[in-house]
Amino acid sequence: MDVLNTMVGRGHEQVTMYSDPESGLKGIIAIHDTTLGPSCGGTRMWPYATEQEALTDALNLSRAMTYKSAAAGLHLGGGKGVIIGDPRTDKTEALLRAWGRFVDTLGGRYLTTTDVGTTGRDLEAVRQETQHVLGLDVTLGGSGDTSVMTGLGIYMGMKACASDVWGADDLRGRTVAMQGFGKVATHTAEHLIEEDVRIIATDINEMALDRARQMGVKVVGPDEIYDIDCDIFAPCALGGVINTQTIDRLRCSIVAGGANNQLATAEDGEELHRRGIVYAPDFLINAGGVINASAEIGQPYNPDRSRQQTERIYEQMSAVLTTSRKQEISTARAADILAESRLDSVRRMRRIWRG
């Protein structure tokens, strides 16, 4: 990859790499855009096969965070941290504290929280080395587990899509196929179960499948999930799962889930639109986590305020659906327009102030 040209082409401001031989840390922080405020995004720890794969993930995820915060009305930019390693075997206090020192060198341009492979307990170690951490446990003055509000936001996004497709946002009796049953999917499922939704799920983690079974969720194999006859297909694992190979297999009216960067390419969003499948743009409906974390900034955390703002995802999704229909464009493009219009307006305002 030609890193600098890729950064320029996608609007990235900064990419920083860091290593700590003593702890074994190899990490990357990508800052996409700080027009609206300091960049914010979780730290992901994953056993990437190559450094190229880790860099690509950091670039893609940081850009998505810019759009997520912009669409949600937050005063934050987009950033992402990735650590190359297996969180089950490579994670140590020394590594996490080294990561904290890395984050601290950026002087607040990047605020970190949890993501795939990291937990609230991990943040406590990171916090020993830097103040630029969000999402600590509520007992430590933080906003706690970001997956709770993320799950709520996805549920609200599903209901907004249901209203558009079926004329009512009641999900009772509907079937949702969930690809991945981690923390976010679990919290989403809790809301769905309360509404008597039938859930069919898959995951590569046996503990996640056991949790699903205990909740009364039917479990299928990882590859079977695409062929389930359902009302809503919910990608809740890693990205790129909506692509030319999988779209043909989908048997749903709506795609709405918690995974980041669900579309392998922008064209896949257009293809869903052509086929009449309503897509809930991931950065729009999975914004509950960053909304929750942002509620810590500059004031005591208030869970009611966080919940109210997360519930507005319903309105934002409805607005995107309306734009999609009026302009005859995909929901993916309509959501981009929503985020880009806010970024552009702030940039124009800054140029005016500077004379």
Side-chain angles (χ1 to χ4, degrees), residues 25 27-29 43 81-83 95-103:
L25 172 67
I28 302 169
I29 291 176
T43 292
V82 300
I83 297 173
L95 181 144
L96 293 167
R97 292 186 67 148
W99 179 252
R101 292 193 296 274
F102 177 27
V103 171

Side-chain angles (χ1 to χ4, degrees), residues 11 15 18 22 52 70 101 105 118 218 237 286 296 298 320 332 354:
V15 174
Y18 186 82
E22 290 189 8
Q52 176 68 62
R101 292 193 296 274
T105 64
T118 57
K218 180 181 177 181
N286 70 11
E296 295 180 36
V320 164
R354 289 169 184 165

Side-chain angles (χ1 to χ4, degrees), residues 203-213 219:
D203 201 292
I204 59 173
N205 186 308
E206 194 58 39
M207 290 180 62
L209 294 179
D210 287 342
R211 182 170 61 251
R213 293 186 185 100
V219 169

Side-chain angles (χ1 to χ4, degrees), residues 320-339:
V320 164
L321 290 161
T322 298
T323 298
S324 171
R325 292 193 181 280
K326 285 184 176 179
Q327 298 188 21
E328 298 183 346
I329 58 176
S330 68
T331 52
R333 182 63 197 129
D336 285 350
I337 290 172
L338 173 66

Side-chain angles (χ1 to χ4, degrees), residues 22-26 45-48 83-96 117:
E22 290 189 8
S23 67
L25 172 67
K26 293 181 179 179
M45 187 169 185
W46 191 256
Y48 295 99
I83 297 173
I84 301 173
D86 190 329
R88 297 170 298 178
T89 58
D90 299 330
K91 190 191 298 179
T92 64
E93 181 185 357
L95 181 144
L96 293 167

